[in-house]
Amino acid sequence: IFSPVSRVGLEPEPLAVGDNVVLRGDRFATVRFLGNTEFASGIWVGVELDAPEGKHDGMVNGRQYYQCSPGHGLFAAPSKITKIIEMPTQRVVAVPSHHSSNANSVKIGRA
C-alpha cells in the first residue's frame, strides 16, 4: 500500500509494521502502525523513535493506536518516511595481485 522511495535504491519499497525507517534523514524508528486515524484524514504511519524525540506513547486524543515508551511515539505521512533497506553483507573475494613477485599471492577486495 505504501511506497516511499528508498534512498538506497531507486525502486519504491512498501512499508510494513516492524520495518526500520528514517524520518527526515536523521531520526531512526520502527513502524508500529499503518492506516487511517481519527485525528486526521488519509493514511498515517505510526512509529516508535529510537530516541525520546516523539510526542506520545502511541496514544493520540485518547485512542491507543500502538504502544511504545512515552515520548518515543510519532505519526508521519508516508512521504516523510524512508524505509531502511539492509545492504548485503560484504563479500570477500580473492583478486590476483599484479604488484607482487609471488604469482600465488592475492589481495582481498570487495565484490
Side-chain angles (χ1 to χ4, degrees):
I1 290 178
F2 308 99
S3 296
V5 175
S6 164
R7 293 189 184 170
V8 175
L10 298 177
E11 294 298 318
E13 289 292 324
L15 289 176
V17 171
D19 282 346
N20 293 315
V21 296
V22 63
L23 289 80
R24 296 186 302 162
D26 63 351
R27 293 165 54 170
F28 294 92
T30 303
V31 174
R32 299 292 183 213
F33 173 89
L34 296 167
N36 294 303
T37 64
E38 292 178 358
F39 61 82
S41 62
I43 301 297
W44 290 90
V45 182
V47 299
E48 179 177 3
L49 297 166
D50 290 355
E53 301 171 338
K55 298 181 177 182
H56 51 73
D57 63 356
M59 181 181 289
V60 177
N61 297 334
R63 171 133 188 241
Q64 190 80 47
Y65 291 94
Y66 61 98
Q67 292 184 333
C68 67
S69 298
H72 286 256
L74 189 72
F75 276 96
S79 62
K80 304 287 186 191
I81 295 181
T82 303
K83 182 176 178 178
I84 298 173
I85 300 172
E86 293 184 40
M87 297 299 290
T89 58
Q90 180 179 4
R91 294 187 315 182
V92 177
V93 296
V95 180
S97 173
H98 299 289
H99 301 294
S100 173
S101 59
N102 183 350
N104 292 327
S105 69
V106 295
K107 67 178 184 177
I108 303 301
R110 292 181 75 167

